[in-house]
Amino acid sequence: MENSSQESHLRSENSVTHESPYPLYAMAVCGQRIAVGSFIEDYANRVDVVSFEPESLSIKTHPSLSFDHPYPPTKLMFDPNSSSRKSSSNRHLLASSGDFLRLWDVGDSSIEPVAVLNNSKSSEFCAPLTSFDWNEIEPKRIGTCSIDTTCTIWDIEKGVVETQLIAHDKEVYDICWGEARVFASVSADGSVRIFDLRDKEHSTIIYESPQPDTPLLRLAWNKQDLRYMATILMDSNKVVILDIRSPTLPVAELERHRACVNAIAWAPQSRRHICSVGDDSQAFIWELPLPPVAGPNGIDPMSMYSAGSEINQLQWSPAQPDWLAIAFSNKMQLLKV
């Protein structure tokens, strides 16, 4: 990624657009494959797997790589082992969350269900899952979070729950892994908490919303520098940057959005860059000094892109680090960065 101290605009001619018959929300990128999930407020939803053709700068659809999904998927994610490969012709494992954690085998010309994992010990029904994260270091492990205040760690090879924790006082909205046995989560109780599976009785509160009980919606851990995290608050235009060595106080707040921020993603191959998208239809890429030091007027984004409507989702894939994927309305768009 080019370094720049001046704001620049990502040009629309450096974008590729896929238009869907339905509103889109969840996305996952694996090499040149992209899975997109519908957001229809009904039981019947869809997931389509399309492919990006970088030579022709086009998106190719595959009618056979599409399947029905119960309720809108809250998140989609490919197996991190395969997500780092650039091939689009291998078989890949895809996970989705909604009513349950589901695994799908994505082949060249078909998609087959592999497993439906229910984290409820007492019922065939499960509290809705808000998000999940796939452990890159130990890919047999997926952590899910739920509105029932719990985080559940699955061993997907055995199809069993490894552990289940009451993680927060209210609904848990996001979860992400830092190390093989260390994860963090955010909640409607307004806190960021870090958990270590080797000491399940304790957690460390890294940050709490300045206004009591303001929910934290998303969490992103900087995989290139695990000292840093980013989170967003409900109905807030800020991206809050945290240093886990200095709990409670943010080391920076990125405040250039003109409406609430909906998604954040650290650059997969740069410890200093993060992207944010929001209801102002803007995608901002920020270059942070590390340690972050904001001037008297705050930090400005190094580049920006204006979409056609509110941007709901964002993915920045290790396999395609030069391209950002955003979702707004019924469109998925790849942006060259």
Side-chain angles (χ1 to χ4, degrees):
M1 174 175 290
E2 296 177 4
N3 292 333
S4 171
S5 58
Q6 294 184 337
E7 186 180 282
S8 65
H9 290 261
L10 301 174
R11 297 188 298 275
S12 57
E13 59 263 31
N14 288 335
S15 67
V16 185
T17 305
H18 165 69
E19 197 160 334
S20 168
Y22 22 71
L24 297 178
Y25 177 69
M27 289 190 302
V29 181
C30 178
Q32 293 171 11
R33 278 184 164 167
I34 304 162
V36 291
S38 66
F39 189 85
I40 303 166
E41 294 186 32
D42 200 353
Y43 180 81
N45 275 261
R46 297 286 291 175
V47 173
D48 300 319
V49 177
V50 300
S51 57
F52 170 48
E53 307 289 340
E55 295 79 17
S56 60
L57 292 182
S58 62
I59 303 287
K60 186 178 179 182
T61 58
H62 306 279
S64 62
L65 298 182
S66 179
F67 58 92
D68 293 325
H69 193 279
Y71 304 104
T74 53
K75 187 168 183 178
L76 295 169
M77 199 172 179
F78 284 103
D79 171 1
N81 275 353
S82 61
S83 296
S84 61
R85 296 195 301 258
K86 296 203 174 186
S87 168
S88 61
S89 60
N90 294 317
R91 304 192 75 83
H92 300 125
L93 202 58
L94 175 70
S96 67
S97 55
D99 53 349
F100 301 107
L101 177 66
R102 298 170 186 268
L103 300 176
W104 313 83
D105 179 37
V106 182
D108 288 334
S109 58
S110 65
I111 298 178
E112 301 295 334
V114 174
V116 178
L117 303 175
N118 178 1
N119 67 5
S120 173
K121 299 171 182 174
S122 58
S123 168
E124 62 180 294
F125 301 104
C126 174
L129 302 178
T130 50
S131 188
F132 71 92
D133 195 27
W134 210 317
N135 195 312
E136 294 180 9
I137 302 166
E138 294 188 349
K140 69 173 186 177
R141 220 176 244 148
I142 289 180
T144 65
C145 55
S146 170
I147 65 169
D148 68 2
T149 76
T150 66
C151 290
T152 303
I153 309 304
W154 285 92
D155 181 330
I156 61 168
E157 290 179 358
K158 297 177 181 176
V160 298
V161 171
E162 187 175 330
T163 190
Q164 188 172 58
L165 305 169
I166 297 175
H168 289 266
D169 301 325
K170 294 185 177 180
E171 300 95 325
V172 190
Y173 286 138
D174 205 6
I175 181 173
C176 61
W177 292 100
E179 302 172 25
R181 292 177 174 82
V182 178
F183 69 90
S185 57
V186 291
S187 162
D189 66 14
S191 68
V192 178
R193 303 188 185 195
I194 295 180
F195 297 84
D196 191 322
L197 295 180
R198 293 159 293 195
D199 182 10
K200 299 171 190 166
E201 301 303 314
H202 302 95
S203 65
T204 303
I205 296 178
I206 295 299
Y207 175 75
E208 292 183 287
S209 302
Q211 296 82 30
D213 288 333
T214 300
L216 300 178
L217 299 184
R218 291 287 169 257
L219 183 66
W221 208 326
N222 186 338
K223 297 298 171 64
Q224 300 299 318
D225 191 336
L226 291 172
R227 295 174 295 179
Y228 297 104
M229 292 179 173
T231 187
I232 55 177
L233 291 77
M234 179 177 281
D235 298 328
S236 169
N237 71 327
K238 293 182 184 179
V239 178
V240 178
I241 307 297
L242 307 172
D243 183 333
I244 64 173
R245 299 166 300 177
S246 306
T248 70
L249 286 177
V251 290
E253 292 184 329
L254 311 178
E255 302 182 71
R256 294 298 185 257
H257 281 281
R258 296 188 302 274
C260 67
V261 180
N262 293 324
I264 46 177
W266 292 95
Q269 294 181 335
S270 166
R271 59 197 282 265
R272 297 178 58 196
H273 294 90
I274 188 170
C275 184
S276 59
V277 297
D279 269 3
D280 56 1
S281 306
Q282 300 292 311
F284 289 153
I285 295 178
W286 313 78
E287 183 179 37
L288 302 178
L290 292 181
V293 179
N297 299 317
I299 299 173
D300 287 322
M302 62 174 279
S303 59
M304 62 175 59
Y305 177 80
S306 296
S309 61
E310 297 93 341
I311 306 175
N312 300 312
Q313 189 57 273
L314 161 71
Q315 292 290 320
W316 204 341
S317 167
Q320 299 280 356
D322 295 336
W323 293 88
L324 278 171
I326 61 173
F328 57 96
S329 183
N330 66 329
K331 296 178 177 66
M332 184 278 296
Q333 201 163 62
L334 293 173
L335 308 176
K336 185 74 179 288
V337 298

